[in-house]
Amino acid sequence: MSPNSSSSMQAQAYEFIKHKIIMCEYTPNQLLSETFLQKELGFSRTPVREAIGRLEQEGLLKVFPKRGIVVSGFTIGDVSMIFEVRRLIEPYTLRNYGSDLDLDEVARFSAIFHAHLEDKAFTRFYQLDDQFHSFLISALTNDYLRDLYARIQMQNTRLRVMSGQLIESRLQRTMEEHAEIADACLEKNWERAAIAMSKHLQYSEESSLATLLKSRSNTSIF
């Protein structure tokens, strides 16, 4: 096998496993094994092992020698820290850098949110959610804050998916909250946009904590 082929397989293994974890197809605290992952991917041990090592470094997997591999779970402290970072960065970005946002793109998001406020069959919710928040953060020019936000981004997506899976009403409420943020941006009322974002983060944190407690009581996966 050529070095390029090996590198490609490692990258594929990494992206495959990461996607499964982020979308909660591999649930928090689920026990995995190299053998299981090799069968899932149809790959040999080496690229799978390298992918596991990379995901362990990123905090998505925990490896216990001779015992197995566990998908990282969440604690109340984890949720609190993730949202502390978000509260520091996202409203701040809107207040201080919102005027640099492309308002045509904001209008596109607003139109989508309003069109699907009552659409329970909407299938691109998580993708749209990530795109909207990433778009807003793109206005931030402070590289240190961008790096800090990037550190929590994957874990934050996992929390969104978990909340949406266990609390059905959260998806529609989030669409309404996003529409309020986008509309305030279109009015160039950055203070109102920042306040709307702060409220959205408060509700999202509450839903994440409720999801954590519900998951513990129903399935003991945490």
Side-chain angles (χ1 to χ4, degrees), residues 100-155:
D100 293 331
L101 290 169
D102 180 347
L103 292 185
D104 288 338
E105 186 67 2
V106 174
R108 185 183 73 84
F109 277 113
S110 178
I112 295 172
F113 297 144
H114 283 285
H116 296 283
L117 286 177
E118 305 296 331
D119 185 1
K120 294 182 179 181
F122 186 66
T123 59
R124 295 191 300 109
F125 174 82
Y126 301 115
Q127 181 184 6
L128 182 65
D129 193 314
D130 279 335
Q131 288 174 351
F132 183 57
H133 285 276
S134 294
F135 165 70
L136 296 180
I137 290 298
S138 70
L140 183 62
T141 58
N142 185 315
D143 289 339
Y144 295 104
L145 290 178
R146 288 173 69 96
D147 288 346
L148 179 59
Y149 190 82
R151 287 187 60 186
I152 63 154
Q153 207 156 8
M154 287 188 292
Q155 299 289 33

Side-chain angles (χ1 to χ4, degrees), residues 190-201:
W190 307 115
E191 181 60 25
R192 187 164 82 84
I195 291 171
M197 176 62 78
S198 294
K199 290 180 180 178
H200 168 59
L201 295 178

Side-chain angles (χ1 to χ4, degrees), residues 58-122:
E58 294 177 355
L60 293 177
L61 290 176
K62 296 179 180 179
V63 179
F64 299 94
K66 298 182 180 179
R67 292 174 58 192
I69 304 158
V70 176
V71 179
S72 296
F74 289 100
T75 65
I76 290 174
D78 292 328
V79 174
S80 296
M81 287 189 288
I82 287 169
F83 279 94
E84 184 175 13
V85 171
R86 295 190 67 189
R87 284 193 299 272
L88 286 170
I89 294 177
E90 295 188 62
Y92 172 84
T93 299
L94 288 170
R95 283 191 178 99
N96 293 277
Y97 298 92
S99 58
D100 293 331
L101 290 169
D102 180 347
L103 292 185
D104 288 338
E105 186 67 2
V106 174
R108 185 183 73 84
F109 277 113
S110 178
I112 295 172
F113 297 144
H114 283 285
H116 296 283
L117 286 177
E118 305 296 331
D119 185 1
K120 294 182 179 181
F122 186 66

